[in-house]
Amino acid sequence: MDHLPSLFSKFDRLTELLYLNKQEHRYEVTILLQDIVDILIQDMIVDAQSILDVVNSPERLISDDDGAFGYYEPELFASVSSITNIRYPFLDGQLSQQKEQVKRLYLLLNTKEQVAEIPSNLEARRRISFFATSLFMDMPAAPKVRSMLSFSIITPYFMEEVKFSDEELYSNQDESSILSYMQKIYPDEWKNFSERIGPKATNDEIRYWASYRGQTLSRTVRGMMYYKKALRLQAFLDRTSDQESYKGLLATEQGKNKRNIHQSLSAEIEALADMKFSYIISCQKFGEQKIKGDPHAQDIIDLMTRYSALRVAYIEEKEVIENNVPHKVYSSVLIKAENNLDQEIYRIKLPGPPIIGEGKPENQNHAIIFTRGEALQTIDMNQDNYLEEAYKMRNVLQEFVIHPRDQAPTILGLREHIFTGSVSSLAGFMSYQETSFVTIGQRFLADPLRVRFHYGHPDIFDRIFHLTRGGVSKASKTINLSEDVFAGYNSILRHGNITYNEYIQVGKGRDVGLNQISKFEAKVANGNSEQTISRDIHRLGRRFDFFRMLSCYFTTVGFYFNSLISVVGVYVFLYGQLYLVLSGLQRALLHDAQTQNIKSLETALASQSFLQLGLLTGLPMVMELGLEKGFRTALSDFILMQLQLASVFFTFSLGTKAHYYGRTILHGGAKYRPTGRKFVVFHASFTENYQLYSRSHFVKGFELVFLLIVYHIFRRSYVSSVVHVMITYSTWFMAVTWLFTPFLFNPAGFAWQKIVEDWADWNRWMRNQGGIGVQPEKSWESWWNAENAHIRHSVLSSRILEVLLSLRFFIYQYGLVYHLNISQDNKNFLVYLLSWVVIIAIIGLVKLVNCASRRLSTNHQLIFRVIKLLIFLTVVTSLILLYCLCQLSILDLIICCLAFIPTGWGLLLIVQVLRPKIEYYAIWEPIQVIAHAYDYGMGSLLFSPIAVLAWMPVISAIQTRVLFNRAFSRQLQIQPFIVGKTKRR
């Protein structure tokens, strides 16, 4: 084999000369032929003589006239007679038959080195790698297109982006536009686009380029229409033999008889592809958008024009008059594009308004009648597809055929690739988390656990099975908020079979901003709480065997229930510590034991703290990354994620899941939370963050801080620092995470101009009056009413449980008032009653100021100011008298704040539960004022300019490290861009 490079170089030159086909190269061709034979016979073949004997045996001899070279001679081709017999150059008749084959061989040989190079684009590497690997997986053989199962795709669409508008692309909010940000995270793709289109690129082409890299409907439609492109090519290959394909390509290249050869074949192939594939977008608001002149409607028509096989179904609402009585008529309408206009194909009259339940499933249900075929693929509008994966669709559909009838799948699960991982660090965390779920997670759920359901992913349904058993979506209001998983429940309950296949993948986008992610997780947590009380999960639990029942529990609602229990466990532990500290029981126990078991206690707490770090929760992700990329890469990615503060994000996410799951279980009120799926590169105001995270994170974070401060104040003298750190550091981490994560992951969160603007907007929002028609985004009062609306419809048992949970806030006051210096170690119950007198006095003062403000602040401003001055002087005088007569100290004032603030919050929670009973009494107004004061106080401690100056340096340093680590993790992608800018500078 040492002579193989020499043989290759000569053969490469020979194919080049054959391709050129010129008379002056005849002698060189002869010499090359002679050299090739010499290398083979003399240098490469070990036992050349025996082979020559076989070649030259009498049975193998043919006459020289037939073109054989007879006995081997040293100058076989170099002789004059041999040169004469060589048929080169090719004649015109031979040229037409052999030129394409010679050209292909020549190009294969000469482009070998370029093909072997690794693509510079990381996405191209990933796609080629997965496609090549999947070809070795166990997949059914593909039938011919004519024999394959036909299938349809349905995509529900509401009001999301079809493609980015000019305003969105070029808006320079926060000194960054979507287009400039995309150019930075996709520098090589932008460079290729610029070279391909040139300087005369139209604005529409730029819009499509950006839209194909966002979570837009244009990207989804382009990806799904690859199915038709793949089917057309496969049908062409099925329809024609190699010789017919060659003739067709030859005629196309030469431009001869193109219409006669291809017209009938193209029409047949087009009809076959349309018969096997259909794509319908269910745009329930398209009719309204078209009437209002919404640009989204025209964008949808442009998509139908671009893709002729695309169909759109929408709901039409008309008012007609029958018998002089007006009434509304609802219809499901299917349209297509014709001459850049929409043309109606079918119309189905509906018995009434179709959207009476949840929006997305109802949107799917009204359009499913327009689908056809044996299979139905459900695609969300934030998904994508790839041409090379579309070629495998015939193989996937065979899964419905090759299995016995009782084992045939009713839902085929497909693998997903999360394509939004490079947008931000948060998007990267979600990408890793989702990747581990859609690969190793679903693989294990499908086999051996057999508890995989439908999770809103690109699953393929047995269309006939599900249309005759209730459809692919349950749409009952509230209970079916997570409509996707109920399709899986329905399939399993009706003796269906759900499988999972990894040899084909579909792209999937995820939310990329913290607010988007939190809304999505809140919606999923609400949906799981509704699943917990649904009859579907009850029936599954009753009918599964024991092991399958446990598997179903821990992979569905059990995960969220365990998250809730984990958070509740932290509170139980801390309130238990608070009781032990304030009662003196912990001090007595430690002194009696004389610290003889402290070391074993430290060991136990250290192991517990290791688990509290959450390191084991990342084990499935590390295992999947190890299987996909290698364990060295998986470990480095995991460490890099920790440096990017992934633990902070996932701890914050834990609070979101626990809050919304627990609140919905207790009071209900689950609702759909639209995330918008926008390309988030802009700053979120503090008002928006406070509305979203106040009750789920900020209140709970401050409660943990209060617990830890009280425990720290009263444990000092008898608990060692090592034990104290081991007990409390994970809780401090959780509390700080819940309070400051929204600012840490907020773009331009620490720009001083943004801080000042957010503070002014926050104060304006807090001052605005609420009322009928005022949105929660405009007024604190409207937001507060909307935030507590779920309690109004709560049942009696839930209200009682809410009151019992609120009683925990009175523990502070009951324990702390006996530790005041002013109480002088008096343990009489009268001390506790006197503390309530103080609280009642505070509420009375608030009521007095509120009444004076309402009645006197407009016309009697001076009297109002005098009243406020007298109240202030009264309070100051009372404090001075207590200091002089009862030894009131500064520490007592701090402890009183730690005691009365939680008590006031507990009273607020109880009053909110009892609101329907006391809303019209005089006590309601001061309660609302106190609630306003609490929210204003929390917001001021978190994000007033003075507070920001106090903690901004630490958070800014952490955020800088996060950005640096994120840039380092994508060094291969952004390094050319950075180097280029440096050189220009």
Side-chain angles (χ1 to χ4, degrees):
M1 302 302 291
D2 294 339
H3 301 279
L4 190 58
S6 177
L7 176 65
F8 169 73
S9 63
K10 293 183 180 298
F11 190 74
D12 185 21
R13 177 58 179 169
L14 176 62
T15 55
E16 181 181 2
L17 297 178
L18 292 178
Y19 175 67
L20 295 175
N21 197 41
K22 294 182 179 180
Q23 180 67 33
E24 56 266 25
H25 296 149
R26 181 182 179 88
Y27 180 76
E28 188 177 355
V29 168
T30 305
I31 298 302
L32 287 172
L33 286 171
Q34 181 66 47
D35 292 343
I36 290 172
V37 173
D38 287 343
I39 293 174
L40 285 172
I41 300 299
Q42 297 179 3
D43 299 329
M44 298 188 68
I45 299 177
V46 177
D47 192 4
Q49 187 60 43
S50 61
I51 296 178
L52 290 175
D53 292 341
V54 174
V55 173
N56 297 327
S57 61
E59 293 81 2
R60 298 294 305 271
L61 292 178
I62 349 175
S63 64
D64 290 341
D65 295 337
D66 292 332
F69 47 79
Y71 293 97
Y72 173 72
E73 298 176 358
E75 300 294 334
L76 177 63
F77 293 102
S79 63
V80 177
S81 60
S82 298
I83 295 176
T84 306
N85 291 332
I86 291 177
R87 299 171 183 173
Y88 182 85
F90 303 120
L91 302 178
D92 292 340
Q94 296 172 325
L95 181 64
S96 61
Q97 299 177 3
Q98 299 173 356
K99 184 175 180 180
E100 285 300 322
Q101 298 176 5
V102 172
K103 178 182 178 181
R104 184 174 183 183
L105 177 60
Y106 171 68
L107 292 176
L108 285 174
L109 291 172
N110 282 272
T111 58
K112 181 176 183 297
E113 296 301 325
Q114 285 75 14
V115 171
E117 292 179 0
I118 299 176
S120 59
N121 185 274
L122 299 180
E123 177 67 7
R125 293 187 201 177
R126 184 198 62 79
R127 287 174 56 177
I128 294 173
S129 175
F130 177 80
F131 180 74
T133 305
S134 67
L135 297 180
F136 296 92
M137 296 181 184
D138 184 17
M139 70 172 74
K144 291 188 175 183
V145 175
R146 187 176 296 276
S147 304
M148 68 176 286
L149 297 179
S150 57
F151 70 102
S152 297
I153 299 176
I154 186 171
T155 297
Y157 169 82
F158 183 60
M159 298 286 288
E160 297 87 353
E161 292 296 331
V162 180
K163 60 181 179 181
F164 291 125
S165 63
D166 293 337
E167 181 181 357
E168 290 175 316
L169 280 184
Y170 298 103
S171 175
N172 285 322
Q173 183 180 351
D174 300 334
E175 300 180 358
S176 176
S177 65
I178 291 179
L179 183 60
S180 63
Y181 192 70
M182 283 189 172
Q183 290 171 354
K184 292 178 182 178
I185 62 176
Y186 305 114
D188 51 346
E189 297 182 26
W190 174 255
K191 179 182 177 182
N192 296 338
F193 172 76
S194 301
E195 291 180 357
R196 184 171 62 251
I197 303 300
K200 297 182 179 180
T202 63
N203 194 42
D204 197 53
E205 291 172 331
I206 295 176
R207 288 177 62 191
Y208 271 111
W209 181 88
S211 301
Y212 289 155
R213 282 149 186 82
Q215 299 184 55
T216 60
L217 184 63
S218 300
R219 180 173 190 165
T220 303
V221 171
R222 181 197 64 168
M224 295 306 116
M225 293 308 294
Y226 282 143
Y227 282 126
K228 183 176 181 181
K229 189 174 182 180
L231 288 176
R232 291 179 61 184
L233 177 58
Q234 291 169 332
F236 173 75
L237 296 177
D238 290 341
R239 178 67 177 81
T240 60
S241 63
D242 291 342
Q243 187 66 19
E244 289 172 329
S245 301
Y246 156 72
K247 288 181 179 179
L249 290 173
L250 184 62
T252 301
E253 182 171 326
Q254 294 178 345
K256 298 177 181 179
N257 301 324
K258 179 177 180 180
R259 179 180 298 274
N260 296 333
I261 295 176
H262 289 287
Q263 188 173 11
S264 59
L265 182 60
S266 298
E268 181 181 349
I269 290 173
E270 187 75 20
L272 183 59
D274 287 336
M275 185 173 61
K276 294 297 181 180
F277 167 74
S278 63
Y279 185 25
I280 295 174
I281 304 175
S282 181
C283 307
Q284 66 184 59
K285 296 289 185 181
F286 177 78
E288 297 180 12
Q289 291 174 332
K290 189 171 61 172
I291 293 174
K292 295 177 181 179
D294 193 325
H296 289 161
Q298 185 58 46
D299 290 340
I300 292 174
I301 294 175
D302 292 342
L303 279 180
M304 289 192 292
T305 305
R306 180 177 286 239
Y307 304 101
S308 58
L310 180 63
R311 301 291 182 264
V312 170
Y314 70 95
I315 298 170
E316 185 182 75
E317 177 183 339
K318 283 186 177 181
E319 186 171 311
V320 298
I321 298 177
E322 292 183 2
N323 299 326
N324 296 325
V325 178
H327 67 280
K328 293 183 178 181
V329 176
Y330 298 89
S331 304
S332 289
V333 183
L334 184 71
I335 61 173
K336 66 177 181 179
E338 191 73 29
N339 297 326
N340 295 326
L341 298 173
D342 56 302
Q343 180 180 355
E344 182 178 318
I345 304 175
Y346 297 114
R347 175 183 295 270
I348 299 176
K349 186 178 179 180
L350 302 175
I355 310 297
I356 57 177
E358 292 296 334
K360 180 181 175 182
E362 293 281 27
N363 196 9
Q364 288 180 328
N365 288 337
H366 95 88
I368 201 171
I369 191 65
F370 299 120
T371 62
R372 47 189 169 81
E374 292 88 352
L376 175 64
Q377 186 176 23
T378 55
I379 293 292
D380 289 338
M381 69 127 304
N382 61 334
Q383 295 195 227
D384 194 8
N385 198 16
Y386 312 106
L387 179 61
E388 68 274 10
E389 301 301 319
Y391 291 125
K392 306 174 193 173
M393 196 61 182
R394 295 184 301 171
N395 307 77
V396 177
L397 294 176
Q398 283 299 102
E399 297 280 356
F400 290 109
V401 179
I402 61 175
H403 297 282
R405 186 177 183 85
D406 57 339
Q407 299 179 10
T410 53
I411 298 179
L412 278 173
L414 304 183
R415 176 189 171 112
E416 286 181 303
H417 165 68
I418 311 302
F419 55 74
T420 52
S422 62
V423 174
S424 65
S425 57
L426 293 177
F429 302 154
M430 290 294 292
S431 175
Y432 280 122
Q433 183 186 41
E434 193 71 15
T435 299
S436 64
F437 174 69
V438 300
T439 52
I440 192 172
Q442 294 197 30
R443 186 187 311 144
F444 193 66
L445 293 181
D447 187 27
L449 297 184
R450 296 179 61 224
V451 290
R452 185 194 183 274
F453 302 108
H454 175 54
Y455 304 104
H457 301 286
D459 294 353
I460 304 175
F461 289 80
D462 184 335
R463 180 172 172 272
I464 306 301
F465 179 91
H466 285 89
L467 281 183
T468 56
R469 290 166 177 83
V472 298
S473 298
K474 285 192 172 183
S476 298
K477 194 69 174 177
T478 306
I479 191 69
N480 294 132
L481 179 63
S482 298
E483 78 289 342
D484 304 309
V485 74
F486 281 97
Y489 294 160
N490 186 48
S491 182
I492 293 296
L493 286 171
R494 298 175 184 273
H495 304 284
N497 185 28
I498 302 177
T499 61
Y500 176 68
N501 304 279
E502 286 195 271
Y503 53 80
I504 184 173
Q505 68 175 357
V506 178
K508 177 77 171 181
R510 277 300 179 201
D511 301 300
V512 298
L514 183 64
N515 291 1
Q516 287 181 321
I517 294 172
S518 297
K519 288 179 181 179
F520 170 76
E521 291 185 338
K523 187 198 79 168
V524 175
N526 285 340
N528 273 270
S529 63
E530 296 295 340
Q531 294 171 41
T532 305
I533 59 178
S534 67
R535 65 183 67 181
D536 301 76
I537 204 74
H538 170 72
R539 289 169 177 168
L540 285 173
R542 292 290 299 271
R543 297 178 186 182
F544 278 161
D545 58 74
F546 179 74
F547 298 102
R548 201 175 177 192
M549 177 191 68
L550 289 182
S551 301
C552 175
Y553 167 76
F554 281 104
T555 56
T556 52
V557 298
F559 172 76
Y560 286 86
F561 184 76
N562 292 342
S563 300
L564 176 62
I565 293 300
S566 299
V567 175
V568 171
V570 173
Y571 281 93
V572 172
F573 173 76
L574 288 178
Y575 274 101
Q577 290 288 333
L578 180 68
Y579 169 76
L580 292 176
V581 168
L582 295 181
S583 65
L585 185 59
Q586 185 182 48
R587 183 173 188 174
L589 291 174
L590 291 177
H591 277 272
D592 291 341
Q594 296 188 4
T595 67
Q596 59 182 352
N597 293 323
I598 284 296
K599 290 186 177 180
S600 60
L601 176 62
E602 291 176 2
T603 304
L605 290 174
S607 61
Q608 177 194 17
S609 301
F610 175 79
L611 295 176
Q612 287 174 344
L613 279 174
L615 296 179
L616 293 181
T617 58
L619 184 60
M621 179 188 67
V622 176
M623 291 299 298
E624 178 57 32
L625 290 176
L627 294 175
E628 296 280 342
K629 303 179 181 179
F631 285 97
R632 181 179 177 182
T633 304
L635 184 60
S636 64
D637 287 351
F638 181 73
I639 294 174
L640 203 59
M641 285 180 60
Q642 301 308 315
L643 295 176
Q644 294 175 344
L645 304 183
S647 298
V648 172
F649 166 73
F650 288 119
T651 303
F652 189 83
S653 176
L654 174 67
T656 304
K657 296 183 180 75
H659 171 77
Y660 286 101
Y661 180 80
R663 193 181 78 170
T664 309
I665 283 289
L666 194 59
H667 300 291
K671 61 181 180 180
Y672 181 80
R673 300 172 188 272
T675 61
R677 299 191 177 101
K678 290 184 178 292
F679 200 87
V680 178
V681 294
F682 303 129
H683 174 78
S685 68
F686 175 64
T687 304
E688 179 183 351
N689 285 338
Y690 192 85
Q691 293 175 36
L692 190 57
Y693 304 119
S694 171
R695 298 304 183 257
S696 60
H697 293 86
F698 294 160
V699 169
K700 293 178 173 59
F702 276 113
E703 182 180 356
L704 292 178
V705 169
F706 270 71
L707 284 167
L708 292 168
I709 290 175
V710 173
Y711 180 72
H712 179 73
I713 291 175
F714 293 99
R715 66 89 203 167
R716 278 186 169 180
S717 60
Y718 54 89
V719 177
S720 68
S721 298
V722 176
V723 175
H724 177 69
V725 170
M726 288 185 175
I727 290 175
T728 60
Y729 87 90
S730 58
T731 311
W732 274 111
F733 176 77
M734 177 182 288
V736 173
T737 296
W738 286 358
L739 290 176
F740 296 111
T741 298
F743 312 111
L744 182 63
F745 292 109
N746 189 12
F750 302 102
W752 185 252
Q753 183 64 30
K754 291 293 181 183
I755 293 173
V756 175
E757 292 175 358
D758 285 353
W759 179 247
D761 179 66
W762 155 262
N763 281 278
R764 185 165 50 252
W765 178 72
M766 291 294 297
R767 290 193 303 265
N768 287 345
Q769 293 292 324
I772 299 176
V774 180
Q775 297 298 318
E777 295 80 11
K778 302 297 183 181
S779 167
W780 171 87
E781 184 179 351
S782 298
W783 168 81
W784 190 63
N785 291 328
E787 187 69 21
N788 299 313
H790 61 279
I791 300 179
R792 298 185 179 182
H793 308 288
S794 185
V795 297
L796 179 61
S797 59
S798 298
R799 292 173 181 268
I800 294 174
L801 185 56
E802 183 71 32
V803 171
L804 293 177
L805 290 175
S806 302
L807 294 178
R808 71 184 188 272
F809 292 102
F810 300 101
I811 297 177
Y812 298 85
Q813 180 185 354
Y814 182 73
L816 289 175
V817 293
Y818 292 105
H819 289 269
L820 297 172
N821 293 329
I822 194 175
S823 66
Q824 299 177 355
D825 295 330
N826 188 349
K827 306 300 180 183
N828 197 320
F829 188 71
L830 184 61
V831 176
Y832 182 63
L833 292 180
L834 287 175
S835 66
W836 276 101
V837 172
V838 175
I839 293 177
I840 294 173
I842 293 174
I843 295 176
L845 290 175
V846 172
K847 175 65 176 177
L848 177 61
V849 173
N850 186 43
C851 292
S853 174
R854 188 174 63 253
R855 298 181 181 181
L856 302 176
S857 61
T858 303
N859 299 323
H860 306 281
Q861 187 67 234
L862 180 61
I863 299 176
F864 176 61
R865 291 181 181 276
V866 170
I867 292 175
K868 289 201 297 183
L869 177 61
L870 292 175
I871 293 174
F872 175 74
L873 293 176
T874 302
V875 172
V876 172
T877 304
S878 301
L879 292 177
I880 293 174
L881 290 175
L882 290 174
Y883 174 76
C884 296
L885 300 178
C886 302
Q887 300 178 355
L888 180 69
S889 63
I890 300 298
L891 182 61
D892 284 348
L893 292 177
I894 296 175
I895 294 176
C896 285
C897 291
L898 294 175
F900 293 154
I901 290 176
T903 300
W905 186 255
L907 286 174
L908 281 177
L909 294 180
I910 293 175
V911 168
Q912 288 171 9
V913 173
L914 303 176
R915 180 175 179 177
K917 305 295 182 183
I918 65 172
E919 189 168 3
Y920 300 102
Y921 291 91
I923 193 177
W924 179 248
E925 288 185 0
I927 291 297
Q928 192 171 9
V929 172
I930 293 174
H932 183 275
Y934 269 92
D935 280 317
Y936 191 85
M938 281 192 294
S940 301
L941 288 174
L942 285 173
F943 209 69
S944 66
I946 297 176
V948 171
L949 287 176
W951 51 259
M952 186 172 65
V954 178
I955 303 298
S956 297
I958 296 174
Q959 192 180 46
T960 302
R961 192 180 71 170
V962 171
L963 296 175
F964 171 77
N965 290 326
R966 178 183 159 206
F968 179 75
S969 66
R970 291 176 29 243
Q971 184 178 8
L972 288 177
Q973 284 185 299
I974 68 173
Q975 188 175 8
F977 178 79
I978 296 175
V979 171
K981 289 185 70 175
T982 305
K983 287 181 178 179
R984 287 194 296 272
R985 288 175 183 172

